[in-house]
Amino acid sequence: MTTSTDITLIGGGIMGLLTAREFYNAGATVTVIDKGLLGKESSWAGGGILLPLYPWRQNQAITQLVKQSLGLYPALASQLSEETGVDPEWNPCGLLITQNPDITAARAWCNLNKIVYEDADKALLNGLDTTPVHPLYLPHIAQIRNPRLIKSLKQDLLQKGVRLIENCGITAINLENNKVDSIDTNMGKLAINELIITAGAWTSELIAQFFPTIRGNRPQISPVKGQMLLFAAKPDTLSTIVLDGDRYLIPRRDGNILAGSTVEDSAFDKTTTSEAKTQISDFALTLFPKLKEYPLAKHWAGIRPGTPYGVPYIDRHPEISNLSINAGHFRNGLAMAPASAQLMVDLILDRPTAVDPEPYRLDRLV
């Protein structure tokens, strides 16, 4: 049996990697295992906007984690860039929201949460073919280049001595007296002290497969596909993130512009479709006609972990004494990740929490 570490995480996406980093910083030894390559699922496929779309329309539990994460990201990105040499490109390029029929709620939310905003002027709308409705500009909202964030986190954890095991299939999770004793994998047996499942959309399936005796307190997480496009534009073609209706454009520092995205119930099927490609492309080229000058370079899909109202589960399991869950962040995993990791570690180490943990309990009503 492989020598155990203090913490073992199943799932090496953004939630697993940041939780591992938080535990390491608290003095714990950590192992992260993943059925594939680290961070290659939803964490890799998303757009990296560090704010929910129309956050005033979201559950307050989402706001709580997003607000905390907004304060953590600048230092996190700076540390990762300095210590690994891989810049995750945290970029406070701002967010332009072209249509806000609920402008009173929008302004109230920004004021309550101390998010700087201003009425968007004509210069910001220049080059966009849209019908503005109380357009709003949030100048300090950032994005992060999620593939580079994953790469820098992986390098950071390797340098710290965290054990990362990729392409690791689980064959059994062994219980003794309502406690996880060990995990059987295609790479051998792992002894367990504390086990955390951070497997995103696959979390509920893992619970059902390996904890069949658990009747209640099961996370309600289902797979939701999202498709995106990338246009190979030049730097400074678009200066800010643009949200128009239910879709958006995201300009990267190198000039690439992401356009997204769809929301599809499709099990674990990551197949891209010509229908989605046409829909997103038509949106992007109509909203920002200058994109017609640049080639469409990529089209991909990812699987988000959908939950009721988009609220994640971050909790110790009430039946299995050394099992915890940190999963189910739906479309806002990157925006909630630093605070979610912090909360998970606070709960396990019995530290005071920076946010109220009640909304994320496994035994909540919805």
Side-chain angles (χ1 to χ4, degrees), residues 76-89 145 147-156 159:
L76 171 65
S78 177
Q79 289 167 10
L80 289 173
S81 181
E82 181 178 345
E83 294 173 13
T84 70
V86 180
D87 183 2
E89 295 188 13
R145 194 162 182 169
R148 293 184 64 86
L149 174 61
I150 293 295
K151 186 177 180 180
S152 62
L153 276 170
K154 181 179 178 181
Q155 180 63 32
D156 179 63
Q159 290 173 185

Side-chain angles (χ1 to χ4, degrees), residues 18-265:
L18 274 180
T19 303
R21 187 176 189 271
E22 189 77 16
F23 270 114
Y24 173 87
N25 289 340
T29 57
V30 187
T31 297
V32 182
I33 65 176
D34 196 281
K35 64 180 177 59
L37 299 177
L38 293 168
K40 289 294 187 178
E41 295 293 346
S42 179
S43 302
W44 194 273
I49 303 173
L50 298 182
L51 191 76
L53 306 185
Y54 307 103
W56 47 90
R57 302 175 189 172
Q58 308 297 326
N59 191 291
Q60 176 60 27
I62 295 173
T63 291
Q64 183 177 235
L65 291 173
V66 168
K67 186 176 178 181
Q68 178 72 4
S69 294
L70 285 174
L72 296 172
Y73 256 118
L76 171 65
S78 177
Q79 289 167 10
L80 289 173
S81 181
E82 181 178 345
E83 294 173 13
T84 70
V86 180
D87 183 2
E89 295 188 13
W90 177 83
N91 180 9
C93 62
L95 169 65
L96 170 63
I97 309 174
T98 63
Q99 298 173 349
N100 298 283
D102 49 354
I103 188 63
T104 300
R107 289 170 175 158
W109 184 90
C110 289
N111 287 328
L112 179 64
N113 293 286
K114 297 181 173 56
I115 302 296
V116 176
Y117 69 93
E118 58 192 56
D119 294 335
D121 59 25
K122 291 183 179 179
L124 277 168
L125 294 162
N126 187 40
L128 300 176
D129 186 359
T130 186
T131 303
V133 179
H134 304 297
L136 203 63
Y137 182 53
L138 281 55
H140 299 156
I141 295 304
Q143 59 161 298
I144 200 154
R145 194 162 182 169
N146 37 313
R148 293 184 64 86
L149 174 61
I150 293 295
K151 186 177 180 180
S152 62
L153 276 170
K154 181 179 178 181
Q155 180 63 32
D156 179 63
L157 293 175
L158 287 171
Q159 290 173 185
K160 286 174 164 58
V162 171
R163 182 165 49 169
L164 305 178
I165 308 175
E166 298 180 301
N167 299 311
C168 183
I170 298 171
T171 56
I173 296 179
N174 306 304
L175 294 176
E176 186 172 331
N177 297 322
N178 291 324
K179 184 177 182 180
V180 179
D181 176 72
S182 60
I183 298 176
D184 296 334
T185 78
N186 60 347
M187 297 183 178
K189 185 184 290 288
L190 294 173
I192 298 297
N193 286 310
E194 286 280 347
L195 179 66
I196 306 171
I197 299 182
T198 51
W202 286 263
T203 297
S204 288
E205 283 205 345
L206 285 171
I207 296 290
Q209 180 179 357
F210 295 115
F211 299 93
T213 61
I214 294 178
R215 300 295 181 184
N217 301 309
R218 288 190 175 190
Q220 299 178 45
I221 302 175
S222 57
V224 182
K225 180 162 72 174
Q227 299 186 52
M228 296 189 70
L229 305 179
L230 182 146
F231 292 86
K234 294 180 179 179
D236 301 321
T237 300
L238 183 66
S239 62
T240 188
I241 304 164
V242 180
L243 174 60
D244 185 82
D246 61 355
R247 295 208 165 116
Y248 50 80
L249 300 177
I250 307 172
R252 299 302 200 205
R253 285 181 178 171
D254 62 4
N256 286 336
I257 295 175
L258 278 63
S261 64
T262 62
V263 179
E264 309 167 53
D265 294 326

